[in-house]
Amino acid sequence: MVAIWFAFFGLPIAGHWLSSPPAAPVENRRLAPAVSWPASMAEAVALPAAIQAWLHDHFGFRHELLVAHNRLHHAVFGSFTSKDLASGKDGYVFHGSNGLMHHSPLRALCGADEVPVPLIHGQLQRLLTVSQAAAPVSQLLLVPDKSRLKPEKLPAWLQAECAAFAPPVQALLAGIRQEPDMDGRVFYPFDVMRVADQSLPVYHPWNLHWDHQGAQPVADWLAQRRWSLPRRVDVPLVEVVHPFDLQQFAPGLSHWHTTQVPAYERVNMLVCHNAPECFPEFAAEAGMLFQVARFRSAWQLPPEQRRPRLVILGDSFGEAIAEPLAPYFAEVWYLSMNNLSRLSPQQKRHLRHVAVDLFQPDVLLHVYSEQAIFFGHKGYFREVTALLSPVTPTPN
């Protein structure tokens, strides 16, 4: 019995040393870092808590147990262990439930929770004002949330609760239309996406983001109707089977869907995603931003002929629309702002210098999901505005 008892408690230790961790992060958070020897009294006091956090996140067979728990919970109850996910009708899944209590993104987007619309209006106004100096055309694309595009797929009780309220985006857009410097520079392509969704799904039932297929109609509408740009190259689309994009919230749950993706290799377009090598001009900064992409369809031409150029700044929704916009531009840069706070002031200045002063984009497009606009973390848009603000030289 003693041997069995010690063997039982030794299994997690053996699992920790003998099993390999997942090849990539599989949870929507950063696991506790490894513990080092304390270098100060404050670190020594915090050492027990740091050890406990590390043990919680790295004990043997943790990943296998997490996968088994997610699968069992979903099979028995049809729901998810993550409080960030909500199960809707007909197999639809929505992000931002937080247990569907108060201060939930889903409640905020439908108007059931109060949203500081005047504050958000002011932040976006300052962002667009500063952006005017960065590119001849500077605009904002506000991507309708899945819950706004598919409200009939929300849980019945949440639909009933939201029915008595008006979505805050209506008040925000009404205020923007009264501002001459913002009117015509903020796009909310709800109608475009609703029409497109009747042919091909803009949001797949199990996906939280749109993909190339969902973003394509909005990209064509922007390029052709708003910017009057011709398509420089026709990139063929091929059907592929992709896994859903919420596995970081539900590791172990497998679900696949068919969608269309561009075959860049057939048109000799240079494409690079999520690597420092995409931007040797600022490799360190690109590595810290992590979500970056670069599309070059005119790389064979002399630099002065590589026009027009597009820079997309935004959250994760910006990457999907960068792809269908790439055929309209000689070069497209997508830079995620989600990890902008990780950059030092010097790195931010260097990033702006290269992306604005040296690259000189013809169009600067801010792309943010409706959740980021109305439920983003405090200071998000202030950081982006500060990034684009020109640096005033200090007098000698």
Side-chain angles (χ1 to χ4, degrees):
M1 289 298 298
V2 171
I4 293 174
W5 184 260
F6 276 99
F8 177 76
F9 279 100
L11 280 176
I13 300 176
H16 174 75
W17 293 110
L18 299 178
S19 63
S20 300
V26 293
E27 296 180 56
N28 194 44
R29 66 184 186 91
R30 295 180 183 176
L31 301 183
V35 181
S36 58
W37 189 258
S40 64
M41 181 58 67
E43 291 183 4
V45 172
L47 184 61
I51 294 175
Q52 186 178 40
W54 184 84
L55 289 173
H56 283 170
D57 280 353
H58 299 277
F59 65 85
F61 305 112
R62 179 185 180 279
H63 177 67
E64 290 77 7
L65 291 171
L66 180 65
V67 167
H69 177 57
N70 284 333
R71 290 175 176 173
L72 179 62
H73 190 279
H74 189 70
V76 174
F77 301 106
S79 57
F80 304 94
T81 58
S82 173
K83 292 183 178 181
D84 291 319
L85 302 176
S87 299
K89 294 183 177 180
D90 302 324
Y92 271 76
V93 180
F94 297 90
H95 175 252
S97 66
N98 285 344
L100 293 175
M101 302 300 289
H102 289 289
H103 306 297
S104 155
L106 291 178
R107 289 174 51 85
L109 293 182
C110 78
D113 281 348
E114 187 177 355
V115 175
V117 173
L119 175 62
I120 296 171
H121 182 141
Q123 290 178 342
L124 299 183
Q125 187 173 35
R126 286 188 290 273
L127 176 65
L128 289 175
T129 299
V130 169
S131 300
Q132 283 182 319
V137 177
S138 54
Q139 297 168 336
L140 167 69
L141 178 67
L142 201 171
V143 183
D145 187 71
K146 185 178 183 179
S147 65
R148 299 298 311 129
L149 198 68
K150 291 286 190 179
E152 69 277 6
K153 300 300 183 182
L154 287 169
W157 66 267
L158 186 55
Q159 291 187 44
E161 187 170 347
C162 290
F165 302 94
V169 69
Q170 297 179 6
L172 178 65
L173 293 176
I176 287 173
R177 299 298 172 252
Q178 303 301 316
E179 298 285 350
D181 61 330
M182 298 181 71
D183 188 26
R185 299 176 63 198
V186 178
F187 307 126
Y188 183 69
F190 182 85
D191 292 336
V192 176
M193 294 169 66
R194 273 293 242 190
V195 172
D197 191 65
Q198 297 174 7
S199 301
L200 293 172
V202 171
Y203 289 108
H204 297 281
W206 272 55
N207 263 19
L208 303 179
H209 291 81
W210 59 357
D211 57 9
H212 182 281
Q213 175 179 294
Q216 176 83 61
V218 178
D220 291 339
W221 174 79
L222 274 175
Q224 298 172 15
R225 300 285 296 275
R226 310 305 302 188
W227 302 328
S228 301
L229 292 176
R231 192 187 298 268
R232 297 171 54 91
V233 59
D234 288 317
V235 183
L237 300 178
V238 296
E239 280 198 351
V240 297
V241 179
H242 269 186
F244 62 93
D245 70 349
L246 51 78
Q247 294 187 36
Q248 69 271 28
F249 296 100
L253 294 184
S254 298
H255 194 88
W256 301 76
H257 64 269
T258 302
T259 189
Q260 295 180 333
V261 299
Y264 296 114
E265 67 280 0
R266 300 184 186 178
V267 294
N268 204 23
M269 183 183 291
L270 299 183
V271 180
C272 183
H273 288 276
N274 301 336
E277 295 77 18
C278 298
F279 295 97
E281 301 90 340
F282 48 89
E285 290 82 357
M288 297 179 73
L289 292 178
F290 178 68
Q291 283 185 300
V292 297
R294 189 173 190 172
F295 305 82
R296 287 175 283 181
S297 62
W299 57 275
Q300 311 96 325
L301 300 178
E304 63 274 8
Q305 298 182 23
R306 299 173 192 170
R307 293 286 182 181
R309 300 170 182 169
L310 167 67
V311 168
I312 297 176
L313 304 180
D315 57 17
S316 54
F317 278 72
E319 184 172 12
I321 200 170
E323 290 190 339
L325 282 175
Y328 292 96
F329 290 85
E331 188 163 351
V332 174
W333 291 9
Y334 159 70
L335 305 173
S336 172
M337 298 290 96
N338 288 348
N339 291 317
L340 181 61
S341 59
R342 298 176 60 191
L343 272 62
S344 68
Q346 182 179 2
Q347 288 175 317
K348 292 177 182 178
R349 289 193 296 270
H350 178 60
L351 177 64
R352 186 205 182 278
H353 176 63
V354 176
V356 174
D357 300 330
L358 299 184
F359 187 58
Q360 296 182 343
D362 300 281
V363 179
L364 172 62
L365 183 65
H366 299 279
V367 180
Y368 292 99
S369 67
E370 201 167 351
Q371 284 204 21
I373 295 290
F374 292 107
F375 212 79
H377 66 78
K378 188 176 181 181
Y380 190 94
F381 293 105
R382 287 199 299 270
E383 292 180 4
V384 183
T385 302
L387 171 71
L388 292 174
S389 300
V391 178
T392 305
T394 52
N396 294 329

